[in-house]
Amino acid sequence: MLTQLDKARRLAKRLGGARGGEFSPAGIPISRLTSEYGTPLYLYHGELVVQRVRELHTALGSDVEVFYSLKANPSLGLCQIVVGEGCNAEVASAGELLLARAAGFPAGDIVFAGPGKTDEELRLAVREGIFAVNVESLNEIDRLAAFAEEHGSQAGVGLRVNPVSQLVGSQMRMGGGASQFGIDEADLDEAVRRVLAYRKLVLRGVHVYTATQVFDADALLRHCSTVLEIGLRVASRAGQSLEMVDFGGGFGIPYFENMQDFDLNRFGRGLQQALSDYRADSRLEGCRFILELGRYMVAEAGLYVTRVVDVKRSQGTTFVVTDGGMNHHIIGTGNFGQVFRKPFPLLNLTRMEDEPEGGVTVAGPCCTPLDIFGANIPLATVEVGDLIGVFYSGAYGLSASSLRFLSHPTPAEVLLWKGTSHLLRQAGKAHDVLEGQQALVQEALGTPNEGR
Ligand SMILES: *Cc1c(COP(=O)(O)O)cnc(C)c1O
Protein backbone atom coordinates (compact mmCIF):
# COMPACT_ATOMS: atom_id res chain seq x y z
CA MET A 1 0.00 0.00 0.00
CA LEU A 2 1.23 3.46 -0.84
CA THR A 3 1.54 6.05 1.91
CA GLN A 4 -0.12 9.41 1.36
CA LEU A 5 3.33 10.84 0.62
CA ASP A 6 4.04 8.17 -2.03
CA LYS A 7 0.65 8.88 -3.54
CA ALA A 8 1.28 12.61 -3.63
CA ARG A 9 4.62 12.04 -5.36
CA ARG A 10 3.06 9.71 -7.90
CA LEU A 11 0.27 12.17 -8.63
CA ALA A 12 2.76 15.04 -8.94
CA LYS A 13 4.66 13.00 -11.51
CA ARG A 14 1.51 12.36 -13.52
CA LEU A 15 0.77 16.07 -13.55
CA GLY A 16 4.23 16.89 -14.89
CA GLY A 17 6.88 16.34 -12.22
CA ALA A 18 9.53 18.78 -11.00
CA ARG A 19 12.16 21.03 -12.55
CA GLY A 20 14.97 22.53 -10.53
CA GLY A 21 13.32 21.30 -7.36
CA GLU A 22 10.05 23.03 -8.13
CA PHE A 23 6.79 21.35 -9.13
CA SER A 24 6.18 22.06 -12.81
CA PRO A 25 2.82 20.81 -14.05
CA ALA A 26 2.78 20.30 -17.81
CA GLY A 27 6.36 21.64 -17.74
CA ILE A 28 5.43 25.08 -16.38
CA PRO A 29 7.06 26.11 -13.06
CA ILE A 30 4.38 26.44 -10.41
CA SER A 31 5.80 29.82 -9.26
CA ARG A 32 5.20 31.17 -12.75
CA LEU A 33 1.57 30.05 -12.62
CA THR A 34 0.98 31.53 -9.18
CA SER A 35 2.59 34.84 -10.09
CA GLU A 36 0.34 35.04 -13.13
CA TYR A 37 -2.91 33.88 -11.54
CA GLY A 38 -2.37 34.40 -7.79
CA THR A 39 -3.07 32.06 -4.89
CA PRO A 40 -5.04 30.15 -3.91
CA LEU A 41 -5.56 28.52 -7.24
CA TYR A 42 -7.21 25.48 -8.79
CA LEU A 43 -5.27 23.82 -11.61
CA TYR A 44 -6.73 21.24 -13.96
CA HIS A 45 -4.64 19.15 -16.30
CA GLY A 46 -6.65 18.73 -19.52
CA GLU A 47 -4.60 15.89 -20.97
CA LEU A 48 -5.13 13.80 -17.81
CA VAL A 49 -8.89 14.18 -18.19
CA VAL A 50 -8.60 13.11 -21.83
CA GLN A 51 -6.47 10.14 -20.85
CA ARG A 52 -8.97 9.06 -18.21
CA VAL A 53 -11.89 9.32 -20.63
CA ARG A 54 -10.05 7.24 -23.22
CA GLU A 55 -9.29 4.58 -20.60
CA LEU A 56 -12.99 4.51 -19.83
CA HIS A 57 -14.02 4.12 -23.46
CA THR A 58 -11.45 1.36 -23.98
CA ALA A 59 -12.45 -0.57 -20.86
CA LEU A 60 -16.22 -0.21 -21.29
CA GLY A 61 -16.40 -0.83 -25.04
CA SER A 62 -18.48 0.88 -27.67
CA ASP A 63 -21.85 -0.29 -26.32
CA VAL A 64 -21.58 1.90 -23.24
CA GLU A 65 -21.92 5.68 -23.29
CA VAL A 66 -20.05 7.77 -20.74
CA PHE A 67 -22.00 10.70 -19.35
CA TYR A 68 -20.12 13.37 -17.41
CA SER A 69 -21.81 14.42 -14.16
CA LEU A 70 -21.31 18.16 -14.23
CA LYS A 71 -21.73 18.62 -10.52
CA ALA A 72 -18.27 17.12 -9.93
CA ASN A 73 -16.70 20.10 -11.69
CA PRO A 74 -18.88 22.53 -13.62
CA SER A 75 -16.01 24.37 -15.23
CA LEU A 76 -16.91 25.40 -18.76
CA GLY A 77 -13.48 24.83 -20.31
CA LEU A 78 -13.17 21.40 -18.74
CA CYS A 79 -16.63 20.47 -20.03
CA GLN A 80 -15.59 21.52 -23.54
CA ILE A 81 -12.70 19.07 -23.35
CA VAL A 82 -15.05 16.33 -22.18
CA VAL A 83 -17.41 17.07 -25.10
CA GLY A 84 -14.46 16.72 -27.45
CA GLU A 85 -13.83 13.21 -26.13
CA GLY A 86 -17.28 12.01 -27.08
CA CYS A 87 -18.91 12.11 -23.65
CA ASN A 88 -22.47 13.17 -22.95
CA ALA A 89 -23.81 15.01 -19.91
CA GLU A 90 -25.71 14.34 -16.70
CA VAL A 91 -27.02 17.51 -15.05
CA ALA A 92 -28.77 18.23 -11.77
CA SER A 93 -30.03 21.81 -12.11
CA ALA A 94 -31.08 24.43 -14.64
CA GLY A 95 -27.67 26.04 -14.24
CA GLU A 96 -25.87 22.82 -15.08
CA LEU A 97 -28.18 22.27 -18.04
CA LEU A 98 -27.39 25.74 -19.41
CA LEU A 99 -23.70 25.14 -18.80
CA ALA A 100 -23.82 21.79 -20.59
CA ARG A 101 -25.44 23.40 -23.62
CA ALA A 102 -22.89 26.24 -23.58
CA ALA A 103 -20.06 23.68 -23.50
CA GLY A 104 -21.49 22.02 -26.60
CA PHE A 105 -23.22 18.89 -25.29
CA PRO A 106 -26.14 18.21 -27.69
CA ALA A 107 -29.55 18.38 -26.00
CA GLY A 108 -30.33 14.87 -27.18
CA ASP A 109 -27.36 13.58 -25.17
CA ILE A 110 -28.27 15.13 -21.81
CA VAL A 111 -30.05 13.51 -18.86
CA PHE A 112 -31.33 15.45 -15.85
CA ALA A 113 -31.67 13.83 -12.42
CA GLY A 114 -32.07 15.16 -8.91
CA PRO A 115 -34.82 15.64 -6.35
CA GLY A 116 -36.63 18.95 -6.08
CA LYS A 117 -36.60 19.99 -9.72
CA THR A 118 -38.49 23.26 -9.88
CA ASP A 119 -41.15 24.20 -12.44
CA GLU A 120 -38.61 26.46 -14.11
CA GLU A 121 -36.14 23.59 -14.37
CA LEU A 122 -38.65 21.13 -15.81
CA ARG A 123 -39.83 23.76 -18.32
CA LEU A 124 -36.23 24.35 -19.40
CA ALA A 125 -35.65 20.62 -19.85
CA VAL A 126 -38.76 20.42 -22.05
CA ARG A 127 -37.82 23.49 -24.09
CA GLU A 128 -34.30 22.23 -24.66
CA GLY A 129 -35.61 18.80 -25.65
CA ILE A 130 -33.10 16.83 -23.59
CA PHE A 131 -32.95 13.07 -23.93
CA ALA A 132 -34.44 12.22 -20.54
CA VAL A 133 -35.62 13.81 -17.36
CA ASN A 134 -34.90 11.15 -14.77
CA VAL A 135 -37.92 11.60 -12.54
CA GLU A 136 -37.61 11.11 -8.81
CA SER A 137 -41.26 10.70 -7.85
CA LEU A 138 -44.75 10.01 -9.21
CA ASN A 139 -45.63 13.70 -8.80
CA GLU A 140 -42.74 14.69 -10.99
CA ILE A 141 -44.21 12.61 -13.82
CA ASP A 142 -47.45 14.59 -13.63
CA ARG A 143 -45.65 17.93 -13.48
CA LEU A 144 -43.39 17.09 -16.41
CA ALA A 145 -46.40 15.99 -18.44
CA ALA A 146 -48.12 19.32 -17.78
CA PHE A 147 -45.11 21.27 -19.01
CA ALA A 148 -44.70 19.10 -22.10
CA GLU A 149 -48.38 19.68 -22.88
CA GLU A 150 -47.99 23.42 -22.29
CA HIS A 151 -44.97 23.57 -24.59
CA GLY A 152 -46.59 21.32 -27.17
CA SER A 153 -43.68 18.92 -27.44
CA GLN A 154 -42.70 15.44 -26.38
CA ALA A 155 -40.56 14.95 -23.28
CA GLY A 156 -38.34 11.93 -22.64
CA VAL A 157 -38.71 10.31 -19.23
CA GLY A 158 -36.34 8.04 -17.36
CA LEU A 159 -37.64 6.43 -14.21
CA ARG A 160 -35.08 6.84 -11.48
CA VAL A 161 -35.54 3.77 -9.33
CA ASN A 162 -34.87 3.37 -5.63
CA PRO A 163 -34.02 -0.32 -5.68
CA VAL A 164 -34.89 -2.75 -2.90
CA SER A 165 -31.34 -4.08 -2.82
CA GLN A 166 -28.43 -2.06 -1.49
CA LEU A 167 -25.20 -1.60 -3.33
CA VAL A 168 -22.78 -3.13 -0.88
CA GLY A 169 -19.10 -2.29 -1.12
CA SER A 170 -19.76 1.40 -1.60
CA GLN A 171 -19.17 4.19 0.86
CA MET A 172 -22.02 6.63 0.51
CA ARG A 173 -25.45 5.25 -0.21
CA MET A 174 -28.43 6.91 -1.79
CA GLY A 175 -30.81 4.00 -2.11
CA GLY A 176 -31.87 0.68 -0.68
CA GLY A 177 -34.06 2.26 2.01
CA ALA A 178 -36.36 5.21 2.42
CA SER A 179 -34.96 7.87 0.12
CA GLN A 180 -35.62 11.24 -1.49
CA PHE A 181 -33.92 9.77 -4.56
CA GLY A 182 -35.89 7.79 -7.08
CA ILE A 183 -39.18 5.92 -7.14
CA ASP A 184 -39.53 2.86 -4.91
CA GLU A 185 -39.52 -0.39 -6.86
CA ALA A 186 -42.95 -1.09 -5.39
CA ASP A 187 -44.33 1.99 -7.18
CA LEU A 188 -42.82 1.26 -10.59
CA ASP A 189 -45.94 -0.26 -12.14
CA GLU A 190 -47.86 2.87 -11.24
CA ALA A 191 -45.05 5.04 -12.63
CA VAL A 192 -45.10 3.18 -15.96
CA ARG A 193 -48.88 3.44 -16.14
CA ARG A 194 -48.73 7.20 -15.59
CA VAL A 195 -46.00 7.87 -18.15
CA LEU A 196 -47.87 5.86 -20.79
CA ALA A 197 -51.13 7.65 -20.01
CA TYR A 198 -49.65 11.02 -20.99
CA ARG A 199 -49.44 11.43 -24.75
CA LYS A 200 -46.61 13.97 -24.53
CA LEU A 201 -44.34 11.74 -22.45
CA VAL A 202 -42.01 9.17 -23.98
CA LEU A 203 -40.76 6.41 -21.70
CA ARG A 204 -37.03 6.16 -22.35
CA GLY A 205 -36.10 3.68 -19.67
CA VAL A 206 -34.65 3.39 -16.19
CA HIS A 207 -31.93 5.02 -14.11
CA VAL A 208 -30.42 3.79 -10.86
CA TYR A 209 -27.69 5.75 -9.10
CA THR A 210 -27.31 4.84 -5.46
CA ALA A 211 -23.72 5.23 -4.35
CA THR A 212 -20.46 7.07 -4.73
CA GLN A 213 -16.88 6.07 -3.82
CA VAL A 214 -17.47 2.49 -4.97
CA PHE A 215 -14.34 0.33 -5.05
CA ASP A 216 -15.81 -3.16 -5.32
CA ALA A 217 -16.07 -3.80 -9.08
CA ASP A 218 -17.96 -7.06 -8.55
CA ALA A 219 -20.54 -5.42 -6.30
CA LEU A 220 -21.02 -2.75 -8.95
CA LEU A 221 -21.48 -5.45 -11.60
CA ARG A 222 -24.17 -7.11 -9.48
CA HIS A 223 -25.78 -3.68 -9.24
CA CYS A 224 -25.71 -3.40 -13.06
CA SER A 225 -27.42 -6.79 -13.42
CA THR A 226 -30.09 -5.66 -10.98
CA VAL A 227 -30.60 -2.50 -13.03
CA LEU A 228 -30.92 -4.53 -16.23
CA GLU A 229 -33.50 -6.79 -14.59
CA ILE A 230 -35.48 -3.80 -13.34
CA GLY A 231 -35.29 -2.32 -16.84
CA LEU A 232 -36.60 -5.50 -18.43
CA ARG A 233 -39.51 -5.64 -16.01
CA VAL A 234 -40.37 -2.02 -16.86
CA ALA A 235 -40.18 -2.84 -20.59
CA SER A 236 -42.48 -5.80 -20.18
CA ARG A 237 -44.90 -3.80 -18.11
CA ALA A 238 -44.89 -0.99 -20.68
CA GLY A 239 -45.10 -3.38 -23.62
CA GLN A 240 -42.27 -1.58 -25.39
CA SER A 241 -38.52 -1.81 -25.74
CA LEU A 242 -36.26 0.51 -23.76
CA GLU A 243 -34.20 3.35 -25.18
CA MET A 244 -32.13 3.80 -22.03
CA VAL A 245 -30.64 1.82 -19.18
CA ASP A 246 -28.64 4.20 -16.99
CA PHE A 247 -26.51 2.33 -14.45
CA GLY A 248 -25.33 5.38 -12.54
CA GLY A 249 -21.64 5.17 -11.69
CA GLY A 250 -19.81 6.29 -8.60
CA PHE A 251 -16.37 4.75 -9.25
CA GLY A 252 -14.10 5.48 -6.28
CA ILE A 253 -10.96 7.56 -6.00
CA PRO A 254 -8.34 6.28 -3.50
CA TYR A 255 -7.98 9.57 -1.64
CA PHE A 256 -6.97 8.06 1.69
CA GLU A 257 -4.64 5.54 3.24
CA ASN A 258 -5.28 1.87 2.58
CA MET A 259 -7.33 2.53 -0.55
CA GLN A 260 -6.51 1.12 -3.95
CA ASP A 261 -7.53 2.19 -7.44
CA PHE A 262 -10.94 1.08 -8.68
CA ASP A 263 -10.36 -1.89 -10.99
CA LEU A 264 -11.74 -0.35 -14.18
CA ASN A 265 -10.67 -3.17 -16.46
CA ARG A 266 -12.30 -5.82 -14.31
CA PHE A 267 -15.51 -3.81 -14.24
CA GLY A 268 -15.38 -3.12 -17.97
CA ARG A 269 -14.90 -6.80 -18.88
CA GLY A 270 -17.76 -7.77 -16.57
CA LEU A 271 -20.12 -5.16 -17.95
CA GLN A 272 -19.37 -6.05 -21.57
CA GLN A 273 -20.04 -9.69 -20.71
CA ALA A 274 -23.32 -8.85 -18.98
CA LEU A 275 -24.47 -6.75 -21.94
CA SER A 276 -23.64 -9.49 -24.42
CA ASP A 277 -25.67 -11.94 -22.30
CA TYR A 278 -28.70 -9.69 -22.79
CA ARG A 279 -28.03 -8.76 -26.41
CA ALA A 280 -30.65 -11.12 -27.82
CA ASP A 281 -33.43 -9.65 -25.69
CA SER A 282 -35.68 -7.62 -27.99
CA ARG A 283 -36.72 -5.41 -25.07
CA LEU A 284 -33.24 -3.89 -25.24
CA GLU A 285 -33.02 -3.45 -28.99
CA GLY A 286 -31.40 -0.10 -29.78
CA CYS A 287 -31.06 0.67 -26.08
CA ARG A 288 -28.48 3.22 -24.89
CA PHE A 289 -26.44 1.89 -21.98
CA ILE A 290 -25.19 4.72 -19.82
CA LEU A 291 -22.67 5.22 -17.06
CA GLU A 292 -22.66 8.59 -15.31
CA LEU A 293 -19.34 9.56 -13.79
CA GLY A 294 -18.09 12.69 -12.11
CA ARG A 295 -15.37 12.10 -9.58
CA TYR A 296 -13.59 9.37 -11.49
CA MET A 297 -13.21 11.51 -14.60
CA VAL A 298 -11.75 14.66 -13.08
CA ALA A 299 -10.51 14.18 -9.49
CA GLU A 300 -6.97 13.16 -10.35
CA ALA A 301 -6.51 15.90 -12.94
CA GLY A 302 -7.02 18.66 -10.37
CA LEU A 303 -4.68 20.31 -7.89
CA TYR A 304 -5.45 22.97 -5.30
CA VAL A 305 -2.49 25.28 -4.68
CA THR A 306 -2.32 27.44 -1.58
CA ARG A 307 0.45 29.65 -0.19
CA VAL A 308 1.98 29.45 3.27
CA VAL A 309 1.27 32.64 5.18
CA ASP A 310 2.59 31.63 8.58
CA VAL A 311 4.60 28.88 10.22
CA LYS A 312 4.30 28.72 13.99
CA ARG A 313 5.01 26.39 16.86
CA SER A 314 2.43 25.73 19.52
CA GLN A 315 3.03 23.32 22.38
CA GLY A 316 5.34 21.14 20.37
CA THR A 317 3.31 21.14 17.13
CA THR A 318 4.32 23.00 13.98
CA PHE A 319 1.42 24.71 12.26
CA VAL A 320 1.67 25.62 8.60
CA VAL A 321 -1.06 28.17 7.92
CA THR A 322 -2.17 28.70 4.32
CA ASP A 323 -4.16 31.35 2.46
CA GLY A 324 -6.96 28.96 1.51
CA GLY A 325 -8.77 26.14 3.26
CA MET A 326 -12.25 24.72 3.72
CA ASN A 327 -13.78 27.83 2.18
CA HIS A 328 -12.36 26.75 -1.20
CA HIS A 329 -11.86 23.06 -0.64
CA ILE A 330 -14.37 21.60 1.76
CA ILE A 331 -13.76 17.99 0.74
CA GLY A 332 -9.99 18.37 1.10
CA THR A 333 -10.42 19.37 4.73
CA GLY A 334 -12.61 16.37 5.53
CA ASN A 335 -15.76 18.42 6.01
CA PHE A 336 -17.94 16.89 3.28
CA GLY A 337 -19.58 13.98 5.04
CA GLN A 338 -18.09 11.05 6.89
CA VAL A 339 -16.86 9.31 3.76
CA PHE A 340 -14.32 12.06 3.23
CA ARG A 341 -11.61 12.06 5.83
CA LYS A 342 -8.20 13.67 5.70
CA PRO A 343 -5.49 14.10 4.77
CA PHE A 344 -5.61 14.18 1.00
CA PRO A 345 -2.14 13.64 -0.53
CA LEU A 346 -0.18 16.88 0.10
CA LEU A 347 3.22 18.18 -0.99
CA ASN A 348 5.38 21.25 -0.56
CA LEU A 349 5.46 22.21 -4.24
CA THR A 350 8.28 24.67 -3.74
CA ARG A 351 10.76 22.07 -2.41
CA MET A 352 10.16 18.87 -4.33
CA GLU A 353 13.60 17.44 -3.76
CA ASP A 354 13.79 17.97 -0.01
CA GLU A 355 13.03 15.02 2.20
CA PRO A 356 10.22 15.54 4.71
CA GLU A 357 11.27 16.31 8.26
CA GLY A 358 8.75 15.25 10.85
CA GLY A 359 5.07 16.01 10.72
CA VAL A 360 3.28 19.33 10.58
CA THR A 361 -0.33 20.42 10.82
CA VAL A 362 -1.57 22.22 7.72
CA ALA A 363 -4.33 24.67 8.59
CA GLY A 364 -6.38 27.09 6.50
CA PRO A 365 -7.40 30.67 7.36
CA CYS A 366 -11.00 30.02 8.36
CA CYS A 367 -11.62 30.71 12.01
CA THR A 368 -12.63 27.21 13.04
CA PRO A 369 -10.61 24.18 14.16
CA LEU A 370 -12.38 22.28 11.35
CA ASP A 371 -10.22 24.12 8.84
CA ILE A 372 -7.35 21.66 8.75
CA PHE A 373 -5.97 19.81 5.72
CA GLY A 374 -4.32 17.33 8.04
CA ALA A 375 -2.18 16.77 11.12
CA ASN A 376 1.21 15.10 11.29
CA ILE A 377 1.80 15.59 7.55
CA PRO A 378 5.35 14.79 6.42
CA LEU A 379 6.20 17.93 4.43
CA ALA A 380 9.61 19.10 3.32
CA THR A 381 10.81 22.06 5.45
CA VAL A 382 8.19 24.73 5.03
CA GLU A 383 8.87 28.43 4.91
CA VAL A 384 6.50 31.34 4.60
CA GLY A 385 5.79 31.87 0.91
CA ASP A 386 6.05 28.18 -0.05
CA LEU A 387 3.26 26.61 -2.07
CA ILE A 388 1.33 23.63 -0.73
CA GLY A 389 -0.42 21.36 -3.21
CA VAL A 390 -3.53 19.33 -2.40
CA PHE A 391 -3.87 16.48 -4.90
CA TYR A 392 -7.03 14.69 -6.14
CA SER A 393 -8.74 18.09 -6.13
CA GLY A 394 -10.44 18.10 -9.55
CA ALA A 395 -13.83 16.86 -8.30
CA TYR A 396 -16.19 18.40 -5.74
CA GLY A 397 -13.61 21.08 -4.96
CA LEU A 398 -14.53 24.67 -5.71
CA SER A 399 -18.20 24.05 -6.51
CA ALA A 400 -18.90 22.02 -3.37
CA SER A 401 -17.31 24.52 -0.99
CA SER A 402 -18.78 27.29 1.16
CA LEU A 403 -17.12 30.04 -0.82
CA ARG A 404 -18.64 32.90 1.14
CA PHE A 405 -17.40 31.68 4.50
CA LEU A 406 -15.02 34.36 5.84
CA SER A 407 -15.53 36.38 2.65
CA HIS A 408 -12.22 35.55 1.03
CA PRO A 409 -12.01 36.07 -2.74
CA THR A 410 -12.73 32.99 -4.86
CA PRO A 411 -9.62 31.31 -6.29
CA ALA A 412 -8.88 31.34 -10.00
CA GLU A 413 -9.35 28.17 -12.04
CA VAL A 414 -6.67 27.48 -14.60
CA LEU A 415 -6.45 24.80 -17.25
CA LEU A 416 -3.20 23.31 -18.46
CA TRP A 417 -3.75 22.26 -22.02
CA LYS A 418 -1.29 21.49 -24.80
CA GLY A 419 1.65 22.90 -22.84
CA THR A 420 0.14 26.27 -21.96
CA SER A 421 -2.10 27.65 -19.24
CA HIS A 422 -5.57 29.05 -19.84
CA LEU A 423 -7.63 31.03 -17.37
CA LEU A 424 -11.00 29.31 -16.92
CA ARG A 425 -12.37 31.44 -14.15
CA GLN A 426 -10.96 34.69 -12.89
CA ALA A 427 -9.96 35.04 -9.25
CA GLY A 428 -12.22 37.19 -7.12
CA LYS A 429 -11.25 40.31 -5.16
CA ALA A 430 -11.78 41.21 -1.53
CA HIS A 431 -14.25 43.86 -2.66
CA ASP A 432 -16.56 41.16 -4.10
CA VAL A 433 -17.93 40.76 -0.60
CA LEU A 434 -20.20 43.73 -1.30
CA GLU A 435 -21.45 42.46 -4.64
CA GLY A 436 -25.19 41.91 -4.74
CA GLN A 437 -25.64 43.26 -1.23
CA GLN A 438 -27.86 46.23 -0.67
CA ALA A 439 -27.19 48.72 2.09
CA LEU A 440 -30.07 49.93 4.18
CA VAL A 441 -31.00 53.47 3.25
CA GLN A 442 -30.67 56.12 5.93
CA GLU A 443 -34.43 56.33 6.55
CA ALA A 444 -34.70 52.60 7.14
CA LEU A 445 -31.71 52.73 9.45
CA GLY A 446 -33.22 55.48 11.57
CA THR A 447 -31.26 57.95 13.61
CA PRO A 448 -28.58 56.70 15.98
CA ASN A 449 -29.85 55.71 19.44
CA GLU A 450 -33.48 55.87 18.31
CA GLY A 451 -35.44 53.03 19.86
CA ARG A 452 -32.79 52.15 22.43
C1 LIG B 1 -23.44 12.95 -8.35
C2 LIG B 1 -24.07 12.05 -9.31
C3 LIG B 1 -23.28 11.30 -10.19
C4 LIG B 1 -21.78 11.31 -10.17
O1 LIG B 1 -21.27 10.66 -9.07
P1 LIG B 1 -19.70 10.40 -8.91
O2 LIG B 1 -19.60 9.65 -7.66
O3 LIG B 1 -19.04 11.74 -8.85
O4 LIG B 1 -19.24 9.64 -10.10
C5 LIG B 1 -23.95 10.50 -11.11
N1 LIG B 1 -25.29 10.45 -11.16
C6 LIG B 1 -26.08 11.15 -10.31
C7 LIG B 1 -27.56 11.04 -10.42
C8 LIG B 1 -25.50 11.95 -9.36
O5 LIG B 1 -26.28 12.64 -8.51
Side-chain angles (χ1 to χ4, degrees), residues 80-93:
Q80 289 176 294
I81 287 180
V82 170
V83 172
E85 287 301 306
C87 295
N88 303 322
E90 186 264 329
V91 301
S93 68

Side-chain angles (χ1 to χ4, degrees), residues 160-280:
R160 180 167 183 181
V161 182
N162 175 29
V164 173
S165 62
Q166 287 217 354
L167 203 177
V168 286
S170 65
Q171 297 205 321
M172 188 193 274
R173 293 190 188 131
M174 289 166 253
S179 178
Q180 75 265 48
F181 304 106
I183 297 171
D184 286 354
E185 261 192 88
D187 294 331
L188 272 186
D189 287 356
E190 170 61 14
V192 169
R193 195 194 61 73
R194 280 199 205 188
V195 174
L196 297 184
Y198 289 114
R199 55 193 188 103
K200 292 291 189 204
L201 297 186
V202 183
L203 179 64
R204 301 276 195 224
V206 295
H207 167 229
V208 187
Y209 171 83
T210 56
T212 190
Q213 277 296 78
V214 182
F215 288 98
D216 185 338
D218 295 329
L220 200 56
L221 287 167
R222 287 194 294 279
H223 160 88
C224 291
S225 300
T226 305
V227 178
L228 280 166
E229 287 301 327
I230 292 172
L232 290 173
R233 283 209 304 279
V234 163
S236 296
R237 191 78 201 174
Q240 64 169 70
S241 60
L242 297 185
E243 291 178 67
M244 171 184 91
V245 172
D246 182 342
F247 298 109
F251 299 178
I253 288 288
Y255 294 110
F256 310 111
E257 245 168 30
N258 304 322
M259 285 185 170
Q260 271 177 324
D261 287 337
F262 176 74
D263 193 342
L264 175 63
N265 289 323
R266 182 181 180 88
F267 176 77
R269 277 195 306 274
L271 186 59
Q272 294 198 49
Q273 182 60 50
L275 293 180
S276 74
D277 291 347
Y278 285 93
R279 186 148 298 141

